[in-house]
Amino acid sequence: MTSPAEEAAPGPVPVADPRPGDKRAAVATEQAHLERVHARVEHLRRRAEERAAEAAADRSGATFQARYERDVTAHHHAARQQRYTFGDVESLAFGRLDLSDGDDLHVGRVSVIDEDGDVLLVDWRAPAAAAFYQATAARPIGVARRRTLVTRGRRLVDLDDEILDGTAAQRLGLRAVTGQGALLAALSRERSGRMRDIVATIQGEQDRIIRAPASGTLVVSGGPGTGKTVVALHRVAYLLYRDRERFEGRGVLVIGPSAAFTEYTARVLPALGEDRAVQRPLAGLVPRTARISGWDEPDVARTKGDLAMVEVVRRALHAVLPPVPPTTRLSFEGTTVTVRGDHLETLRERHLDRIRADVPGGAYHDRTEVADAALDDALWAAWTRAQRAAGGRVPEDREGSGFAAALDAAPEVVLLRRCFWPERDPQEILGQLARGELDLTVVGRGLLPEAELAAVAAAWQRADSWTTDDVALLDELDALLGQAPSKRPRPRPPGGEDDGGIRLSTDALQVEAPAVDVESHSYRDFAHVVVDEAQDLSPLQWRAVSRRGPYASWTVVGDLAQRSRVSDPATWEEVAALIGRRSVEITTLEVNYRTPEEIAAVATDVLAAAGHDPALAPRAVRATGDRPRQVVAPDPVARSAEVVGELLSARGGTLGVLVDVADLDTARAAILPRLDEEERDRTRVLEVRESKGLEFDDVVVVAPERIMAGSAVGTHQLYVAVTRATRTLTLVTTGEVELPGSRHCVEVTAGTP
């Protein structure tokens, strides 16, 4: 095993100098190979498309077995067609390895074999391609030269060579044809509105995480710009490749912090040839009928996310049930009996105490039949006592006695049944708490401080929709209630054309397998779960997420220095405990590929002001020569509108305008109307928390002093804001507060160009 010190100082490597025309010849050779790859992929895609269409159109089969085989064949070819459909990707082939034994290997997004059986391209996830990311000069692992190809569709625009084994390269007559460096070229390019994959420029430390075994909980920690998110997405693609039956069959769930984040990352997996992962924002864990927007203040969010709220919502369920009628009268076979309501209330409470969320058959609605049967038993017992007291005969067979029909005909019993165990809805219950119809301070008494409960109630009174911090409460109620009987799908007769399952049969055996819909809101058995910006999840939110993968392996991505909460969990070990894992493997990415050195200097000062060790800041790998600007103006929002116009007219790329949530509407009203359609496409005006996980070429932070003062984690939020830029950073401030990092900025006063 080579130590980091050995890798950093490998010693001299003999490299032959390139000759005139070497690069031109290399580009021509690689361009010809690239065209062969694209032609072959297009041929394979068309052939799969044709065969899928032929199979789907085949109506010759008269038996179920024939129809089943037809559908399997159509699905197989459709999957192959999808595998060779990449859309607008930048590079289908992006690398070449010249091996020490004289062989060469091209690396790309998918394995491609020509009609003669020769390998044109090796999937980047295959073991043979691992050396493209892991080989170094100190540890070449059989690689003489590594070549990175920079392409745009079918056109090769540049290439970059590294000689890793000088002795082997000299023996094979290999030289280095050097461009500007594939990694730095990729980092310097302008951004679009979507995250790009990094498959062509994965670094060794990232590759080791991507290829790590999927067992237990793997934490990918690291500061801003270290590539945590994109590494996690590439890891999903790798796992699907390595064990497709396991991960595609049961599904992979990727949870991000916001809808903006999910939209930003949506193209990465399809560009890698994978579209089976389910990507959702945290707010997407509740049904679509629930309107979710924004977040609560940290103190309110802490209370909503406390595990004590599990018992609060359980008590709320008890409280929302209608009271049992004081008395219920029924008559049967000439005997009339009156049943007291307090006895039935005690019976109901006993059954309510047996409800268990996340236990098969243990939810409230799952126990409807049990509760109804217990009620009927109680009514039967009351009647039999009265019947015997009157000297009457009690039927031996209750089922055949007509007692059930008598209950159905008794108006008071019908009313009792409606009150005893009625259907309930999560939003209905939480809504009664939010509207004050149930007093939260009473429901939660003894579980949480009354002042904290009152603050939550006040926040609900001010809100016009649920927040992301309400999602876990809704999910807890959803798990506690289970699916209402009236909303359960009706069973379909077997054998129909719309039958959702797969049925395999012989003369002796018939097996039915229901189709698995991993996209369904009710699906709860993912094989792998990825959680991004994990430092912001509360204990109750972790409980909600863990329901989606009770037997899953996990990839947890985050940075504790970017937290937006003031509550636990505070360590990754505590996170693993919350999702039911005893052990956790923590990996750390330490290189900042996003932020230039000039902006990283500002971020390091903000990190220190937030109470973290500045030595933990990731190391930036490049500089631009552009120092961040601090623009001083009495009205930061109005001045920001001017700054935005100046930046958009001066250069291309994306622009992020980040503000405190209190300034969001004002900033959008001041900035967006001044922009034309093209400029609006390039510009996002966001509150800081919405920007988590995103990056922009240029960033304008409006009134950073208000961001810092906005909450107990305001300085952490400012750290997020100043680390979103890949090119320039501008702070627009009143100048009344000394900002951390301002010593690294060029100060510009109002009216200065």
Side-chain angles (χ1 to χ4, degrees):
M1 182 76 178
T2 307
S3 70
E6 291 173 315
E7 290 200 16
V13 176
V15 179
D17 293 332
R19 297 177 303 193
D22 273 1
K23 184 171 184 178
R24 188 182 304 109
V27 168
T29 298
E30 299 299 348
Q31 179 66 57
H33 187 270
L34 185 64
E35 289 171 0
R36 285 185 65 197
V37 169
H38 274 275
R40 181 62 176 169
V41 166
E42 180 59 22
H43 171 75
L44 294 171
R45 189 197 65 76
R46 281 200 313 269
R47 186 168 67 181
E49 181 181 20
E50 292 167 359
R51 291 184 175 179
E54 289 172 2
D58 183 8
R59 292 292 182 267
S60 60
T63 65
F64 173 82
Q65 183 70 20
R67 293 197 301 272
Y68 170 75
E69 291 175 358
R70 175 202 67 197
D71 291 344
V72 168
T73 301
H75 175 76
H76 168 74
H77 289 300
R80 283 184 60 82
Q81 175 192 349
Q82 182 63 37
R83 187 181 176 212
Y84 291 114
T85 303
F86 293 92
D88 184 24
V89 297
E90 296 170 352
S91 50
L92 187 54
F94 47 77
R96 167 177 167 158
L97 294 175
D98 289 288
L99 306 178
S100 301
D101 61 7
D103 286 340
D104 63 75
L105 192 70
H106 282 81
V107 178
R109 294 176 185 272
V110 67
S111 292
V112 181
I113 300 174
D114 69 12
E115 56 275 10
D116 297 324
D118 294 330
V119 178
L120 299 180
L121 200 63
V122 172
D123 194 301
W124 65 276
R125 297 165 288 187
F132 182 75
Y133 304 108
Q134 297 174 4
T136 65
R139 185 171 171 266
I141 52 178
V143 179
R145 181 179 68 183
R146 173 170 50 212
R147 170 171 288 172
T148 302
L149 310 176
V150 181
T151 69
R152 299 289 181 271
R154 293 176 178 246
R155 186 171 66 89
L156 180 70
V157 297
D158 201 1
L159 53 82
D160 185 76
D161 285 347
E162 297 171 86
I163 299 295
L164 303 180
D165 185 339
T167 303
Q170 212 171 42
R171 171 169 48 81
L172 297 170
L174 300 176
R175 285 180 286 275
V177 178
T178 305
Q180 62 173 317
L183 175 61
L184 291 179
L187 296 177
S188 301
R189 290 176 50 203
E190 291 179 348
R191 267 54 182 171
S192 67
R194 298 288 182 90
M195 176 180 279
R196 298 189 189 99
D197 64 73
I198 59 166
V199 65
T201 56
I202 293 171
Q203 301 302 291
E205 62 172 355
Q206 298 170 329
D207 188 71
R208 283 187 284 273
I209 294 171
I210 290 169
R211 296 175 190 268
S215 58
T217 302
L218 175 67
V219 171
V220 184
S221 177
T226 53
K228 302 181 297 296
T229 296
V230 75
V231 164
L233 293 173
H234 284 66
R235 175 166 165 75
V236 169
Y238 176 77
L239 294 178
L240 285 165
Y241 172 85
R242 292 294 293 166
D243 194 345
R244 191 164 298 278
E245 181 177 354
R246 170 187 172 189
F247 292 108
E248 189 173 76
R250 285 176 45 210
V252 175
L253 175 63
V254 180
I255 296 177
S258 66
F261 175 89
T262 304
E263 178 184 346
Y264 179 63
T265 61
R267 279 185 55 191
V268 174
L269 285 170
L272 295 171
E274 302 293 350
D275 64 349
R276 286 287 292 164
V278 178
Q279 300 189 60
R280 288 184 186 145
L282 190 61
L285 298 186
V286 295
R288 292 183 178 90
T289 54
R291 181 168 168 257
I292 310 291
S293 64
W295 294 267
D296 285 294
E297 292 294 320
D299 288 340
V300 172
R302 175 181 58 192
T303 304
K304 287 184 177 181
D306 196 298
L307 288 178
M309 293 298 287
V310 173
E311 182 58 27
V312 171
V313 299
R314 174 180 283 275
R315 289 183 182 180
L317 170 59
H318 287 232
V320 299
L321 296 179
V324 173
T327 59
T328 299
R329 189 174 58 173
L330 65 96
S331 296
F332 180 58
E333 290 193 350
T335 298
T336 299
V337 62
T338 299
V339 184
R340 289 173 51 186
D342 56 350
H343 291 166
L344 299 180
E345 282 279 11
T346 301
L347 174 66
R348 182 168 71 176
E349 285 297 317
R350 188 160 63 243
H351 280 273
L352 287 172
D353 288 340
R354 294 172 182 168
I355 295 171
R356 296 291 182 269
D358 308 317
V359 173
Y364 172 82
H365 288 130
D366 293 338
R367 295 185 59 82
T368 297
E369 291 185 9
V370 174
D372 288 347
L375 176 61
D376 286 357
D377 288 345
L379 296 176
W380 170 257
W383 179 83
T384 56
R385 286 194 299 270
Q387 179 77 343
R388 290 192 179 104
R393 184 186 65 84
V394 175
E396 294 183 6
D397 180 13
R398 169 179 154 189
E399 295 299 323
S401 68
F403 183 75
L407 294 183
D408 291 341
E412 291 188 22
V413 173
V414 172
L415 175 62
L416 171 64
R417 282 176 168 169
R418 290 176 181 171
C419 297
F420 189 77
W421 205 267
E423 290 190 3
R424 283 295 178 261
D425 178 78
Q427 290 192 74
E428 171 198 349
I429 296 175
L430 201 63
Q432 290 190 44
L433 284 170
R435 293 188 298 270
E437 296 167 15
L438 291 177
D439 189 335
L440 180 62
T441 59
V442 173
V443 175
R445 184 168 293 157
L447 298 174
L448 288 163
E450 186 170 330
E452 293 184 9
L453 293 169
V456 171
W460 273 332
Q461 290 292 318
R462 294 190 301 269
D464 58 4
S465 67
W466 301 119
T467 68
T468 303
D469 299 292
D470 290 316
V471 166
L473 294 170
L474 289 167
D475 193 74
E476 192 67 35
L477 280 164
D478 190 49
L480 193 64
L481 291 171
Q483 191 173 35
S486 65
K487 296 180 180 178
R488 292 171 186 166
R490 295 178 181 178
R492 289 178 293 188
E497 285 293 331
D498 60 346
D499 190 354
I502 294 176
R503 185 175 300 98
L504 307 177
S505 62
T506 67
D507 292 339
L509 174 68
Q510 176 171 303
V511 179
E512 295 188 18
V516 176
D517 181 9
V518 299
E519 296 278 358
S520 168
H521 168 73
S522 61
Y523 184 70
R524 295 288 190 277
D525 193 25
F526 287 97
H528 191 80
V529 180
V530 177
V531 182
D532 209 336
E533 300 295 342
Q535 74 278 353
D536 286 342
L537 269 67
S538 69
L540 202 65
Q541 287 171 333
W542 276 115
R543 184 174 163 91
V545 170
S546 66
R547 288 192 180 100
R548 273 68 188 173
Y551 309 107
S553 52
W554 293 74
T555 301
V556 175
V557 181
D559 177 17
L560 294 173
Q562 297 184 68
R563 63 195 309 180
S564 300
R565 292 184 300 98
V566 292
S567 57
D568 292 334
T571 68
W572 298 122
E573 288 80 4
E574 291 174 10
V575 167
L578 284 170
I579 56 178
R581 301 297 184 268
R582 297 179 182 177
S583 62
V584 56
E585 180 184 353
I586 302 173
T587 62
T588 304
L589 295 170
E590 299 177 342
V591 178
N592 181 351
Y593 298 102
R594 175 197 300 149
T595 312
E597 290 177 356
E598 296 83 358
I599 298 176
V602 175
T604 301
D605 282 5
V606 178
L607 182 65
H612 295 270
D613 184 352
L616 298 178
R619 174 177 55 85
V621 297
R622 63 192 176 96
T624 62
D626 287 330
R627 289 177 62 189
R629 295 190 303 159
Q630 178 171 295
V631 177
V632 180
D635 185 346
V637 173
R639 184 68 178 95
S640 294
E642 299 172 3
V643 171
V644 166
E646 295 163 4
L647 288 169
L648 290 171
S649 62
R651 60 186 73 195
T654 57
L655 173 63
V657 183
L658 308 182
V659 303
D660 182 68
V661 63
D663 293 327
L664 182 60
D665 291 339
T666 304
R668 285 177 172 167
I671 294 169
L672 296 179
R674 301 171 56 141
L675 308 182
D676 61 31
E677 184 176 352
E678 187 269 339
E679 290 172 334
R680 284 196 183 203
D681 288 342
R682 294 165 50 198
T683 306
R684 299 291 299 275
V685 182
L686 304 169
E687 65 165 298
V688 175
R689 191 159 179 179
E690 284 184 291
S691 72
K692 283 198 167 185
L694 310 185
E695 65 181 19
F696 307 91
D697 291 291
D698 305 300
V699 166
V700 177
V701 182
V702 182
E705 62 274 19
R706 290 209 280 268
I707 294 172
M708 290 179 64
S711 72
V713 288
T715 307
H716 291 83
Q717 296 294 80
L718 182 59
Y719 181 60
V720 172
V722 300
T723 53
R724 300 302 98 196
T726 67
R727 188 165 60 192
T728 70
L729 172 67
T730 304
L731 308 176
V732 186
T733 173
T734 61
E736 297 171 357
V737 176
E738 184 175 354
L739 300 172
S742 60
R743 63 194 179 103
H744 301 292
C745 299
V746 175
E747 184 166 321
V748 180
T749 57
T752 304

